[in-house]
């Protein structure tokens, strides 16, 4: 059949007849053709397509010319979406865009934020009001933001075929954020889509957890609302050679009427609009993995040691703050064997809370699994030794230009730590424990990794080329402005620490940074920094350090019995502490910090290993066979 005749048939023969004549293959061809027809053609040379998102979730795709600036973008956004742009800034990751838009790459997501720090928690999502909205946004149903693998592009085509075939996505009830199963034209689930403006505390969260604008601190204070999507992509990109089995993931702009939009009713209470409206969202787009259960539903003894190790290695590198059993999928291989000769296969998912902007308390559930106490294999040690943190950071800057530099510093630091600890002979569980904080009563102590960072930071501050006068006004440099944080400012602190070096003795570098409000009447002696003797050295066996009391505002305590959806974001967020920050260092200071960190880390690892040997601690699982 000639191409002209085929095109004539597809445009004139009814869809039902096409399905009867050619079956499923014709349905896919027809839907794919429609998808490609609706996709915007590539912009001419010198032009770039970008996707601008307001802090309340609305998205508009537009092409930029060489002469365009931030004012041009705002004007187009105002005309297309009826969004007020006065007193706003156009941001791209860490950068505030003004006249020069040369740093913006093709298919990049931009964010329009208000300059005012006093933001109303009841601000509605200003959505398209004109019926010809889709004519103003010429992008396709599903547009990949940035580069992608062939498997992701095939998934996008399958999803577009399903949408064009009239198969609606299925909302997912579990979890705190909005997420959806998207299907192909056969009705099979092939992808999970998570819109960034439907995350917990985001403006259009469908489950009542609202109260913050995009760009503000989120469920984890070092992970901003609306920024979990590119972290999902980062985890996939960092999983070199699919070592840990992370499903294919991309960042997309996707259009459908299934997505949630909260509208103000009855004095500002969000309510779902009864009339579905086609809207565009920026979202993470991940391959759906058919599985039998997750790790929280089944005993872990059947899990392959290598699979657990590989997931743990990834979690260490990306400083995962949310690795629980529910986000490790398990597939049973009846009658066959998987990658490691076992009958179960593991798939790690949900990496939106990795790569925080500062070190905090991670969560590695595999620490308690027996497999984590088995030494690394030669293959795993070789993989770790070949990791290059600087190359990985450069790769993410290229693939995800919106990623913040503070996140990349966490990646570099944790990869260096993993490489040194593995080369020193520590097992996965020991490495994870060194990164995890301890709680004693109501007090939180820094992890051993944070203690080394605190000492390295002190050495940076004492380094001659850096003037000590930088301490004055240092709080204004924090990645999260204290004004924006509001009520969080009482628990996020990073003062300069007063402690001696590791060579002579590892003095405790932490004083009581934040005192409980109820301790104002305590004796002055209790507030003094405890003296440390030369015999008090850092070890994993006996690490004694004053810790931080959690502070609780009277507002939070008085409203603790309120229903979660009716509580403000400040009241719903758990307390978290920052012992040392990485984001406020200049490039030169960061270079010196990394050098000092590596020097101190070797000594800390030696003392940790020596103390472990003295205790003769028998770890669970060291004599088990799998």
């Amino acid at each position: 059949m000639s191409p002209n005749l085929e095109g004539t048939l597809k445009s004139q023969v009814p869809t039902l007849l096409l399905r009867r004549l050619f079956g499923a293959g014709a349905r896919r061809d027809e839907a794919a053709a429609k998808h490609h027809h609706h996709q915007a053609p590539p912009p001419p040379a010198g032009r770039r397509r970008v996707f601008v998102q307001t802090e309340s979730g609305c998205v508009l795709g537009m092409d930029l010319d060489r002469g365009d600036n931030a004012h041009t973008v705002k004007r187009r956004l105002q005309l297309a979406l009826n969004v007020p742009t006065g007193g706003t800034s156009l941001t791209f990751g860490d950068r505030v865009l003004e006249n020069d838009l040369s740093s913006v790459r093709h298919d990049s997501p931009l964010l329009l934020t208000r300059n005012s720090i006093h933001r109303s928690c009841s601000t509605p999502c200003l959505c398209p009001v004109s019926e010809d909205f889709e004519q103003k946004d010429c992008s396709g149903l599903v547009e990949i933001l940035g580069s992608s693998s062939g498997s992701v592009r095939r998934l996008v085509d399958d999803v577009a075929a399903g949408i064009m075939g009239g198969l609606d996505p299925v909302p997912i009830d579990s979890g705190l954020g909005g997420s959806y199963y998207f299907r192909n034209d056969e009705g099979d689930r092939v992808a999970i889509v998570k819109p960034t403006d439907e995350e917990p505390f985001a403006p259009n969260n469908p489950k009542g957890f609202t109260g913050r604008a995009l760009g503000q601190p989120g469920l984890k204070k070092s992970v901003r609302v609306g920024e979990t999507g590119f972290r999902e992509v980062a985890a996939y990109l960092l999983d070199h050679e699919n070592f840990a089995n992370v499903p294919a993931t991309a960042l997309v702009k996707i259009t459908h009427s299934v997505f949630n939009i909260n509208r103000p009713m009855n004095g500002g209470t969000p309510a779902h609009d009864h009339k579905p409206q086609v809207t565009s969202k920026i979202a993470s787009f991940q391959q759906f993995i058919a599985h039998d259960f997750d790790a929280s539903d089944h005993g872990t003894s059947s899990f392959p040691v290598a699979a657990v190790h590989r997931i743990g290695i990834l979690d260490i590198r990306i400083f995962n703050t949310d690795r629980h059993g529910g986000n490790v999928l398990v597939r049973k291989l009846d009658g066959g064997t998987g990658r490691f000769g076992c009958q179960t296969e593991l798939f790690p998912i949900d990496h939106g809370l990795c790569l925080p902007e500062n070190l905090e308390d991670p969560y590695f559930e595999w620490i308690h699994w027996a497999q984590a106490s088995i030494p690394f294999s030669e293959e795993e040690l070789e993989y770790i030794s070949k990791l290059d943190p600087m190359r990985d950071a450069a790769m993410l800057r290229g693939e995800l230009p919106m990623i913040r530099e503070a996140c990349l510093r966490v990646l570099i630091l944790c990869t260096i730590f993993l490489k040194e600890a593995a080369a020193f002979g520590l097992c996965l569980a020991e490495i994870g424990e060194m990164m995890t904080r301890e709680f004693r009563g109501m007090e939180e102590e820094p992890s051993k990794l944070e203690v080394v960072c605190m000492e390295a930071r002190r050495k940076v501050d004492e380094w001659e080329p850096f003037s000590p006068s930088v301490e004055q006004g240092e709080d204004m440099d924090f990645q999260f402005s204290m004004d924006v944080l509001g009520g969080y400012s009482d628990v996020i602190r990073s003062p300069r620490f007063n402690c001696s070096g590791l060579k002579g003795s590892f003095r405790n570098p932490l004083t009581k940074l934040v005192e409980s409000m109820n301790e104002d009447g305590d004796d002055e002696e209790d507030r003094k920094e405890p003296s440390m003797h030369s015999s008090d050295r850092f070890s994993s066996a006996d690490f004694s350090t004053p810790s931080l009391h959690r502070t609780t505002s009277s507002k939070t305590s008085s409203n603790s019995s309120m229903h979660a959806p009716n509580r403000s974001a400040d009241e719903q967020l758990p307390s978290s502490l920052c012992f040392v920050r990485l984001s406020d260092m200049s490039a030169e200071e960061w270079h010196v910090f990394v050098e000092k960190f590596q020097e101190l880390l070797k000594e800390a690892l030696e003392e940790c290993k020596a103390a472990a040997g003295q205790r003769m601690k028998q770890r669970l699982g060291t004599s088990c066979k799998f």
Side-chain angles (χ1 to χ4, degrees), residues 360-546:
E360 54 176 79
D361 191 28
Y363 184 73
F364 307 134
E365 185 158 325
W366 42 254
I367 280 183
H368 310 291
W369 299 354
Q371 294 91 332
S373 298
I374 304 297
F376 289 122
S377 67
E378 291 298 324
E379 181 183 3
E380 292 158 357
L381 290 173
E382 182 181 3
Y383 179 86
I384 294 172
S385 68
K386 292 181 178 179
L387 293 173
D388 186 337
M390 302 304 175
R391 184 175 59 193
D392 286 342
M395 180 270 293
L396 289 184
R397 287 190 192 98
E399 297 290 340
L400 300 170
M402 76 293 294
I403 194 169
R404 300 179 186 273
E405 193 64 25
C407 305
L408 299 179
R409 290 182 174 183
V410 169
L411 169 67
I412 292 170
L413 192 72
C414 293
T415 305
I416 291 173
F417 174 66
L418 170 66
K419 291 168 69 70
E420 295 285 352
F424 201 79
L426 270 61
C427 68
L428 179 63
E430 291 170 330
I431 297 173
E433 286 175 349
M434 287 189 69
M435 300 176 72
T436 304
R437 295 177 181 176
E438 292 186 10
F439 290 85
R440 298 183 180 179
M442 295 298 293
E443 300 179 350
E444 184 176 14
E445 297 181 352
S447 67
K448 296 175 177 61
L449 173 63
E450 288 174 303
V451 169
V452 177
C453 290
M454 290 154 62
E455 174 69 0
R457 183 60 192 265
R458 186 191 66 82
K459 288 182 175 292
V460 170
D461 295 336
E462 292 179 351
W463 197 48
E464 286 186 2
F466 300 139
S467 170
S469 62
V470 298
E471 293 186 16
Q472 185 176 2
E474 66 178 354
D475 284 341
M476 299 302 294
D477 297 329
F478 187 28
Q479 191 71 31
F480 288 147
S481 163
M482 288 298 129
D483 293 328
V484 173
L485 286 172
Y488 303 150
S489 59
D490 61 337
V491 293
I492 299 187
R493 295 288 187 268
S494 182
R496 309 300 184 185
F497 300 99
N498 181 22
C499 53
S500 62
L502 274 170
K503 290 287 184 183
S505 65
F506 198 116
R507 253 177 65 181
N508 181 358
L510 188 65
T511 59
K512 299 212 172 192
L513 305 184
V514 181
E515 296 291 344
S516 173
M517 296 177 63
N518 297 327
E519 293 185 351
D520 292 338
D522 288 356
D523 293 336
E524 186 175 355
E525 183 178 348
D526 294 335
R527 300 177 184 268
K528 292 182 179 180
E529 183 180 79
S531 61
M532 304 296 293
H533 301 287
S534 59
S535 59
D536 295 329
R537 296 179 61 84
F538 167 72
S539 70
S540 62
D542 182 19
F543 179 69
S544 176
T545 177

Side-chain angles (χ1 to χ4, degrees), residues 189-462:
R189 297 174 179 176
V190 294
I192 295 178
V193 172
K194 300 177 183 178
T196 58
D197 67 325
E198 296 186 27
E199 296 176 7
F201 305 117
N204 291 316
N205 181 276
K207 299 172 182 177
F209 294 96
T210 59
R212 294 209 158 266
L214 300 181
Q216 291 186 304
L219 195 60
K220 296 281 186 178
K221 293 173 187 173
S222 54
V223 177
R224 304 182 191 226
V225 174
E227 296 189 0
T228 64
F230 71 72
R231 286 175 165 84
E232 296 257 19
V233 181
Y236 170 65
L237 295 174
L238 291 170
D239 187 24
H240 306 308
E241 303 172 5
N242 202 223
F243 188 73
N245 234 12
V246 177
T249 313
L251 197 65
V252 300
K253 176 260 185 186
I254 186 167
T255 303
H256 203 279
S257 60
V258 73
F259 296 127
N260 184 66
I261 298 173
N262 289 330
R263 296 184 181 278
M265 293 181 64
N266 299 328
T269 303
H272 301 303
D273 193 349
H274 296 291
K275 181 181 178 181
Q277 181 178 1
V278 174
T279 185
S280 296
K281 305 258 185 166
I282 291 177
S284 65
F285 181 96
Q286 187 171 79
Q287 176 188 4
F288 171 73
I289 299 296
H291 57 282
D292 297 285
F293 45 83
D294 60 54
S296 65
D297 296 330
H298 195 271
T300 61
S301 61
S302 63
F303 296 169
V305 174
V308 174
H309 282 189
R310 292 178 178 219
I311 292 174
I313 289 170
L314 176 68
D315 287 341
I316 295 294
R317 293 169 60 204
I318 62 178
F319 201 83
N320 197 344
T321 64
D322 190 38
R323 174 63 72 211
H324 55 81
N327 55 36
V328 177
L329 304 181
V330 184
R331 178 191 291 169
K332 296 176 66 176
L333 303 173
D334 297 330
T337 56
R339 303 170 71 186
F340 312 110
C342 300
Q343 293 187 343
T344 56
E345 193 171 9
L346 305 185
F347 297 88
I349 60 170
D350 293 345
H351 297 102
L353 296 179
C354 72
L355 296 176
E357 293 185 36
N358 282 292
L359 296 180
E360 54 176 79
D361 191 28
Y363 184 73
F364 307 134
E365 185 158 325
W366 42 254
I367 280 183
H368 310 291
W369 299 354
Q371 294 91 332
S373 298
I374 304 297
F376 289 122
S377 67
E378 291 298 324
E379 181 183 3
E380 292 158 357
L381 290 173
E382 182 181 3
Y383 179 86
I384 294 172
S385 68
K386 292 181 178 179
L387 293 173
D388 186 337
M390 302 304 175
R391 184 175 59 193
D392 286 342
M395 180 270 293
L396 289 184
R397 287 190 192 98
E399 297 290 340
L400 300 170
M402 76 293 294
I403 194 169
R404 300 179 186 273
E405 193 64 25
C407 305
L408 299 179
R409 290 182 174 183
V410 169
L411 169 67
I412 292 170
L413 192 72
C414 293
T415 305
I416 291 173
F417 174 66
L418 170 66
K419 291 168 69 70
E420 295 285 352
F424 201 79
L426 270 61
C427 68
L428 179 63
E430 291 170 330
I431 297 173
E433 286 175 349
M434 287 189 69
M435 300 176 72
T436 304
R437 295 177 181 176
E438 292 186 10
F439 290 85
R440 298 183 180 179
M442 295 298 293
E443 300 179 350
E444 184 176 14
E445 297 181 352
S447 67
K448 296 175 177 61
L449 173 63
E450 288 174 303
V451 169
V452 177
C453 290
M454 290 154 62
E455 174 69 0
R457 183 60 192 265
R458 186 191 66 82
K459 288 182 175 292
V460 170
D461 295 336
E462 292 179 351

